[in-house]
Amino acid sequence: MSSESKLKYSPDKRRKMESALDQLKKFTVVVADTGDFNAIEEYKPQDATTNPSLILAAAKMPAYQQLVDQAIKYGIAQGGTEEEQVTNIMDKLFVMFGLEILKKIPGRVSTEVDARLSFDKDAMVTRARRLISLYEEAGVSKDRVLIKLSSTWEGIQAGRELEDKYGIHCNMTLLFSFAQAVACAEAQVTLISPFVGRILDWFKENTDRKTYEPHEDPGVLSVTKIYNYYKKFDYSTVVMGASFRNIGEVKALAGCDLLTISPGLLGELSQDHSPVSCSLTPQGAKTCDLEKLHLDEKAFRWLHNEDQMAVEKLSDGIRKFAADAIKLETMIKEKIFSVKNGQ
């Protein structure tokens, strides 16, 4: 290309040629939200997140049966009751997916503690340490792993203990209320995952309004408020928006520390060439009209309980993750039976 023709490409024109995904990456760390690690490479995310529902979906795919079989052999070899074997297999399977994902990304993978432990702080701490020990046995440092915990009061306190006592980094998930966000910041966890799309779902289902522009989407507004609060008061915890329903929501949160996005929406963003501007900045947060809160357990429970959407979506999210964990366990039990009976 001649120097004359190069001059014709103004910054605006160059931006038109850039995908929305590439533009977004200038403002925000992009994370892939999937257990299907073959879907990750194309979009070159920094990090990746998994959850019981995503692992269940991936474990059903023929491409990943070898991982499932390896985890089952491991669990049977560990011995113990069937229940203990199933728990060991589940932990091993989650870590094996995490290990494969880590081969394809430069950053960290998030691995979730069983949602059925969401109200048992000590059990969450024990299970988290177990997951980290499995990663370390495979030669992966705990610094490349985020342990996902439900953002119940007990989950947040488990996060506090794991960070403070064991140096294990936590990703607090199923976060819908401002109370949850404040408590996580005070617990000094590494990262939170406030949900966007599930908040929108609730408002569509429970109010007369069925459509929202991205800048007025209640999920976008929730994450924006949390981001501004964290940056205004200099909390170290970072914000990773999660659970998106459309690319409008994603683009409206450009500038958020991280955004975890499904492969489907990553694909849409890579095909979209409309301009993306930075919506969230630490400087803008400093000017926002928010007051600092301190929440003990009683104040947390009251403030969270005042938010009907958050109460319903947190309990619904825990139930759904638990149901998918049970489906995965059922699948594993059937495979154990086949292995032990030589089928």
Side-chain angles (χ1 to χ4, degrees), residues 11-288:
D12 283 343
K13 280 212 175 123
R14 232 184 341 264
R15 194 157 48 244
K16 276 179 193 161
M17 294 162 60
E18 261 185 329
S19 72
L21 182 58
D22 286 336
Q23 294 174 67
L24 181 65
K25 285 179 178 179
K26 292 176 183 174
F27 309 122
T28 289
V29 173
V30 169
V31 179
D33 193 23
T34 182
D36 177 9
F37 48 80
N38 292 327
I40 286 174
E41 281 178 294
E42 188 181 345
Y43 305 110
K44 297 186 169 45
Q46 173 71 22
D47 294 356
T49 50
T50 63
N51 65 43
S53 304
L54 294 174
I55 298 291
L56 173 65
K60 288 178 177 174
M61 296 179 189
Y64 300 127
Q65 287 318 297
Q66 195 182 351
L67 282 189
V68 177
D69 293 342
Q70 284 174 19
I72 286 168
K73 280 181 189 161
Y74 168 86
I76 292 171
Q78 296 295 303
T81 64
E82 185 188 54
E83 194 178 328
E84 286 166 343
Q85 287 180 26
V86 169
T87 298
N88 286 331
I89 291 166
M90 292 274 281
D91 285 347
K92 185 68 170 176
L93 186 62
F94 276 48
V95 169
M96 287 174 80
F97 271 99
L99 292 169
E100 293 300 322
I101 288 166
L102 285 171
K103 292 176 187 174
K104 297 174 185 286
I105 58 170
R108 299 174 298 192
V109 69
S110 289
T111 298
E112 189 149 345
V113 165
D114 193 327
R116 288 169 291 180
L117 305 177
S118 293
F119 303 102
D120 186 336
K121 176 180 82 80
D122 293 341
M124 280 185 272
V125 169
T126 300
R127 199 70 174 268
R129 293 180 66 202
R130 165 86 178 132
L131 290 168
I132 291 295
S133 73
L134 288 171
Y135 274 109
E136 290 179 335
E137 282 170 24
V140 170
S141 161
K142 66 185 179 195
D143 291 333
R144 290 201 71 198
V145 182
L146 288 166
I147 293 294
K148 283 179 82 176
L149 301 164
S150 302
S151 298
T152 55
W153 177 259
E154 295 81 4
I156 296 166
Q157 301 318 307
R160 182 196 294 273
E161 183 172 322
L162 287 164
E163 298 267 4
D164 188 45
K165 201 167 169 184
Y166 302 105
I168 292 172
H169 303 298
C170 296
N171 167 356
M172 304 308 302
T173 191
L174 295 176
L175 195 150
F176 301 97
S177 73
F178 191 61
Q180 289 173 295
V182 170
C184 286
E186 293 198 305
Q188 297 183 304
V189 296
T190 296
L191 180 149
I192 62 165
S193 293
F195 281 36
V196 179
R198 293 195 201 185
I199 292 180
L200 175 65
D201 295 345
W202 189 91
F203 278 89
K204 282 181 167 180
E205 287 163 15
N206 291 279
T207 68
D208 293 334
R209 188 162 178 186
K210 304 304 172 195
T211 59
Y212 293 85
E213 290 300 311
H215 68 275
E216 53 185 10
D217 181 306
V220 170
L221 294 177
S222 171
V223 175
T224 299
K225 180 181 179 182
I226 291 164
Y227 173 91
N228 285 338
Y229 182 82
Y230 277 27
K231 300 307 177 218
K232 178 167 185 173
F233 297 112
D234 297 313
Y235 285 109
S236 59
T237 303
V238 294
V239 180
M240 179 169 72
S243 156
F244 292 101
R245 295 293 174 260
N246 55 68
I247 62 171
E249 289 179 326
V250 175
K251 293 195 288 186
L253 290 170
C256 192
D257 299 312
L258 308 94
L259 296 173
T260 187
I261 306 164
S262 68
L265 292 182
L266 286 171
E268 284 186 45
L269 287 163
S270 68
Q271 298 301 313
D272 176 21
H273 290 83
S274 61
V276 176
S277 56
C278 189
S279 302
L280 305 181
T281 65
Q283 297 81 6
K286 294 292 183 190
T287 64
C288 74

Side-chain angles (χ1 to χ4, degrees), residues 309-328:
M309 173 278 297
V311 170
E312 291 179 10
K313 294 311 284 185
L314 173 60
S315 58
D316 178 61
I318 291 170
R319 282 194 300 272
K320 282 181 173 158
F321 281 162
D324 281 344
I326 291 165
K327 284 179 194 165
L328 188 55

